[in-house]
């Protein structure tokens, strides 16, 4: 086998379809179950004043300053 390039059919033999689907499923599960501090940081990053406050005082302090008094109900 001297040709370094593979045709499409042989290239697809390396990766099994169900392993790709399993990887995508695992990624979706990880997206849904984020850590509490990561969720807080994303909320703060989406709100510009909170993000600016975070640059000076850190994300935990910024989240507490802007969102700490709010209680969410589910």
């Amino acid at each position: 086998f001297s040709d370094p390039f593979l045709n499409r059919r042989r290239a697809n033999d390396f990766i099994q379809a169900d392993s790709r689907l399993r990887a995508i499923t695992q990624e979706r599960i990880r997206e849904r179950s984020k850590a509490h501090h990561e969720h807080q940081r994303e909320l703060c990053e989406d709100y510009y004043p909170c993000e600016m406050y975070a640059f000076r005082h850190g994300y935990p302090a910024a989240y507490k300053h802007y969102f700490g008094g709010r209680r969410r109900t589910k």
Side-chain angles (χ1 to χ4, degrees):
F1 187 75
S2 61
D3 188 17
F5 300 102
L6 301 173
N7 65 21
R8 290 181 186 174
R9 182 172 291 148
R10 293 244 352 193
N12 286 334
D13 289 342
F14 288 105
I15 300 175
Q16 300 297 325
D18 57 297
S19 65
R20 282 184 284 168
L21 290 176
R22 189 176 14 223
I24 291 169
T25 303
Q26 290 298 322
E27 181 64 26
R28 297 292 177 248
I29 290 170
R30 278 192 294 273
E31 286 178 1
R32 275 188 261 137
S33 58
K34 291 182 180 179
H36 184 64
H37 65 276
E38 186 177 354
H39 181 69
Q40 288 180 347
R41 183 178 178 132
E42 287 179 355
L43 280 175
C44 193
E45 286 175 346
D46 290 339
Y47 186 54
Y48 185 74
C50 183
E51 188 175 22
M52 290 294 105
Y53 192 91
F55 286 141
R56 180 170 282 244
H57 302 286
Y59 280 99
Y63 181 84
K64 186 175 181 182
H65 179 76
Y66 284 98
F67 303 107
R70 298 180 184 173
R71 297 281 184 222
R72 289 196 286 165
T73 58
K74 290 185 178 180

